[in-house]
Amino acid sequence: MTISNIKFQNITTCKIKRKNFYLGNHEWTAIEKLERLFKKDALKSWKGQLHESPEIQGEAGELDGFLLHYTHRDLASMLTKTNEWSAIEAKLRYDTFHPQMEWWRFFRVMWTGFSNSYIQQGGWKVGTAGLIESVYQGFSMFVTYAKLWEMQEKVKNQNAKVKN
């Protein structure tokens, strides 16, 4: 399918395949399919506060080719991005009354981040860069949930002071 023949079909949105490259030019094995081209009048709304996605009315097509996404270029920029976005993610969880963080939850979320990246997405096929990226995903989850824990502790301590 090409962009020029979309108008002749009942297609209102097109998915674009995205290849991600980490830590320089290391191609990730998992390919994402993102709705990034759509008819303006078919857009119902946007969902999500992080990684927003369009809600589109109608049929979706898929374009040939790939959008190349060079992300996580170096550890310094990854740490800066994690520090910024983890505060937002933690606040979203806090605002939806996430269960109180317990010590064992940290291991679970770190394992989930690592295993999703390394095993399910095939990070193991990328070599050292895949291992670094996957361990980093676990670390990133840890930071988010540690910030959530801080928020929960702050409120718990404030409530304890009020009771005394």
Side-chain angles (χ1 to χ4, degrees):
M1 174 184 306
T2 63
I3 292 176
S4 62
N5 69 9
I6 289 174
K7 62 185 175 186
F8 300 109
Q9 299 178 18
N10 291 330
I11 304 284
T12 59
T13 184
C14 283
K15 293 183 180 185
I16 300 172
K17 294 179 279 189
R18 183 169 82 176
K19 285 186 183 182
N20 293 310
F21 294 84
Y22 294 105
L23 297 169
N25 202 22
H26 298 279
E27 184 177 337
W28 204 248
T29 59
I31 303 294
E32 295 177 289
K33 293 180 182 178
L34 307 169
E35 291 179 329
R36 291 295 182 258
L37 292 174
F38 48 86
K39 292 181 179 178
K40 192 175 183 179
D41 59 349
L43 176 65
K44 291 174 27 183
S45 65
W46 289 93
K47 61 181 177 183
Q49 293 185 21
L50 292 172
H51 304 292
E52 299 89 354
S53 298
E55 288 191 26
I56 307 292
Q57 184 173 2
E59 294 181 44
E62 186 175 307
L63 294 177
D64 294 327
F66 295 94
L67 177 66
L68 305 181
H69 184 228
Y70 292 86
T71 185
H72 295 186
R73 294 175 189 228
D74 57 64
L75 290 172
S77 63
M78 289 166 67
L79 287 166
T80 299
K81 186 176 168 183
T82 295
N83 193 41
E84 292 171 4
W85 287 102
S86 61
I88 296 167
E89 289 187 56
K91 180 84 167 86
L92 288 171
R93 286 173 171 79
Y94 181 81
D95 289 346
T96 57
F97 306 103
H98 188 282
Q100 184 67 36
M101 285 302 296
E102 302 291 340
W103 65 268
W104 57 268
R105 286 188 193 273
F106 290 100
F107 292 104
R108 186 189 62 75
V109 298
M110 289 187 299
W111 171 252
T112 299
F114 171 79
S115 64
N116 178 55
S117 183
Y118 197 70
I119 298 167
Q120 293 174 347
Q121 293 184 23
W124 59 273
K125 297 176 186 174
V126 184
T128 303
L131 178 64
I132 292 169
E133 174 63 26
S134 299
V135 168
Y136 191 85
Q137 289 303 312
F139 167 74
S140 179
M141 295 296 289
F142 168 78
V143 173
T144 295
Y145 281 86
K147 288 182 180 186
L148 171 62
W149 175 84
E150 283 183 325
M151 290 176 192
Q152 292 172 337
E153 286 294 300
K154 183 178 179 183
V155 170
K156 190 164 62 172
N157 291 337
Q158 288 173 345
N159 290 341
K161 287 179 184 178
V162 170
K163 288 180 182 179
N164 293 332

